[in-house]
Amino acid sequence: SEFPPQHREIARIQYQGFREYKPRVYAGCLTLFRARMQPLFSAHDPDNGWKRLAASGLEIRIVPGNHLGMLQEPHVRALAEQLRACLDVAQTEIRREQ
């Protein structure tokens, strides 16, 4: 079966974005939420290339599930808890700087 025209257009735009986007280094620290379950033949680089973009360091947090499953129940709850903890730390640091 053939994709509807609107799906083909979305795929074309996504491909163009992937091809043309040039990421820049971020001055701060980045947090990578990495799924515990990785595809068998995935890259074995634990930071997936993010470390080179994080001038002040990279924190890697492992969450349950796979790439898409970590965004679905029940795994999304663990992701949300870790994200909340990161946001709480960031808010504390902002308050200290003020």
Side-chain angles (χ1 to χ4, degrees):
S1 70
E2 191 172 312
F3 284 118
Q6 63 269 25
H7 290 165
R8 285 195 311 269
E9 180 64 10
I10 291 170
R12 185 191 68 73
I13 291 168
Q14 285 177 328
Y15 175 74
Q16 180 180 354
F18 289 139
R19 196 178 69 237
E20 294 177 6
Y21 180 70
K22 304 287 188 259
R24 293 181 287 169
V25 174
Y26 174 67
C29 181
L30 294 175
T31 301
L32 171 65
F33 294 94
R34 185 177 168 98
R36 180 171 287 126
M37 295 170 41
Q38 294 292 313
L40 183 59
F41 296 106
S42 69
H44 294 288
D45 183 3
D47 66 38
N48 288 348
W50 286 99
K51 189 173 185 175
R52 66 182 175 81
L53 297 173
S56 295
L58 175 71
E59 176 187 7
I60 300 174
R61 290 181 171 239
I62 306 297
V63 295
N66 60 27
H67 182 68
L68 294 176
M70 69 184 201
L71 298 174
Q72 299 170 350
E73 292 288 354
H75 305 306
V76 72
R77 291 177 189 264
L79 174 62
E81 288 172 11
Q82 290 206 35
L83 180 55
R84 169 52 56 202
C86 290
L87 292 172
D88 289 345
V89 168
Q91 286 179 331
T92 300
E93 289 174 1
I94 289 171
R95 285 187 201 115
R96 241 184 291 151
E97 291 174 1
Q98 293 176 342

